[in-house]
Amino acid sequence: MSSYASEYLNTVTALLQRVQDEQLLQLEAAAARIAACIASGGLWHVFGSGHSQLLAAELFYRAGGLVPVNAILDLPLSVMVNARRSTWLERVPGYAEQLLQDEPVSAGDVVLVISNSGRNAVPIEVALAAKARGATVFALTAVDFSRRVSSRHPSGYKLLDCAEIVFDNYGVDGDAVVQIPGCASAVAATSTVVGSALLQALAAATVAQLQQTGHAAPVWQSANAEGGEAQNAAHLAQYQGRIKRL
């Protein structure tokens, strides 16, 4: 019997190789913009809804991660309160503007918006509202899939139309990639693992840019490592009150 676990892992490995082969230039370009933002005192904001919110959390307040990251984690848009409601809510025009009223997005900041389809109102409006505030906007989406679906926003825009740099997770329609005989639907989504790798690569490139331009990169230490909490105390003192969820 063939190994469907192996099939999935081989598929993900191939997608990660595509990231390596095709997206290094935009990773480095985006890292330079984020590093300049952080060096000038700005914040890197990350937003997603539904399962894309996992990727926003991936960059926030974790060992080895950049400190000046503000993850926009709205519980009603997550799967942790009411999953079906989050699906409906991310389609509601006007919700994003209300959400951003309580987020510290400012001119000169960088906002990265994550949406697999890129068709729903909330991620599109987060991108547009961030641009209106003078922030630089990047996107992470499934480019080919997004181009094949219609927009659910009154403007007709999709997320990839609203960003200066677009990262592609190469997701297929429906995200899942493994076909198992007797199962009506494909299983095993790829967007989370590929998206996480892209974002961690972007973070690494940003830290390198900061160091190379003479700016000490603020990086969280593990709170479970010896001395980790003491080293993090200075970061907390600097950013608590600026980053909403610290």
Side-chain angles (χ1 to χ4, degrees), residues 148-162:
R148 285 193 294 270
V149 297
S150 60
S151 172
R152 290 190 174 120
H153 190 258
S155 69
Y157 289 144
K158 286 175 271 190
L159 177 60
L160 54 76
D161 301 315
C162 306

Side-chain angles (χ1 to χ4, degrees), residues 31 34-35 38 44 64-67 201-213 215-219:
I34 298 169
I38 291 171
W44 177 14
L66 276 160
V67 175
L202 180 55
T206 299
V207 170
Q209 290 271 2
L210 283 164
Q211 295 298 133
Q212 290 164 10
T213 54
H215 298 90
V219 174

Side-chain angles (χ1 to χ4, degrees), residues 52-244:
S52 294
Q53 196 173 108
L54 299 174
L55 295 177
E58 172 72 8
L59 291 179
F60 176 64
Y61 188 64
R62 65 171 305 164
L66 276 160
V67 175
V69 171
N70 178 57
I72 301 174
L73 305 174
D74 183 61
L75 274 176
L77 287 171
S78 78
V79 297
M80 292 182 283
V81 177
N82 186 308
R84 288 180 298 166
R85 187 184 301 156
S86 73
T87 297
W88 170 78
L89 192 57
E90 72 174 348
R91 301 177 184 180
V92 176
Y95 187 83
E97 185 60 45
Q98 298 303 312
L99 173 64
L100 290 184
Q101 293 298 319
D102 197 34
E103 296 291 340
V105 177
S106 301
D109 287 351
V110 174
V111 178
L112 189 145
V113 183
I114 307 156
S115 172
N116 208 42
S117 72
R119 69 186 305 201
N120 290 311
V122 171
I124 292 166
E125 290 186 353
V126 167
L128 293 173
K131 289 174 71 173
R133 285 165 168 74
T136 297
V137 175
F138 303 145
L140 171 57
T141 190
V143 171
D144 286 345
F145 174 43
S146 185
R147 287 174 175 156
R148 285 193 294 270
V149 297
S150 60
S151 172
R152 290 190 174 120
H153 190 258
S155 69
Y157 289 144
K158 286 175 271 190
L159 177 60
L160 54 76
D161 301 315
C162 306
E164 183 173 322
I165 295 176
V166 176
F167 297 105
D168 191 354
N169 65 22
Y170 307 115
V172 299
D173 295 23
D175 202 5
V177 294
V178 178
Q179 297 282 351
I180 298 176
C183 184
S185 301
V187 300
T190 62
S191 62
T192 303
V193 64
V194 176
S196 177
L198 264 163
L199 296 183
Q200 292 292 359
L202 180 55
T206 299
V207 170
Q209 290 271 2
L210 283 164
Q211 295 298 133
Q212 290 164 10
T213 54
H215 298 90
V219 174
W220 294 112
Q221 306 297 311
S222 171
N224 296 311
E226 294 295 334
E229 289 186 322
Q231 293 183 59
N232 289 339
H235 299 319
L236 287 167
Q238 181 177 359
Y239 286 98
Q240 205 157 23
R242 292 192 60 210
I243 296 175
K244 181 178 176 180

Side-chain angles (χ1 to χ4, degrees), residues 7-36:
E7 179 182 338
Y8 175 77
L9 293 172
N10 286 335
T11 299
V12 168
T13 299
L15 292 175
L16 292 176
Q17 187 61 54
R18 284 190 69 186
V19 172
Q20 170 89 350
D21 294 342
E22 299 174 7
Q23 298 192 64
L24 282 182
L25 286 178
Q26 58 256 53
L27 280 166
E28 294 294 344
R33 297 293 295 273
I34 298 169

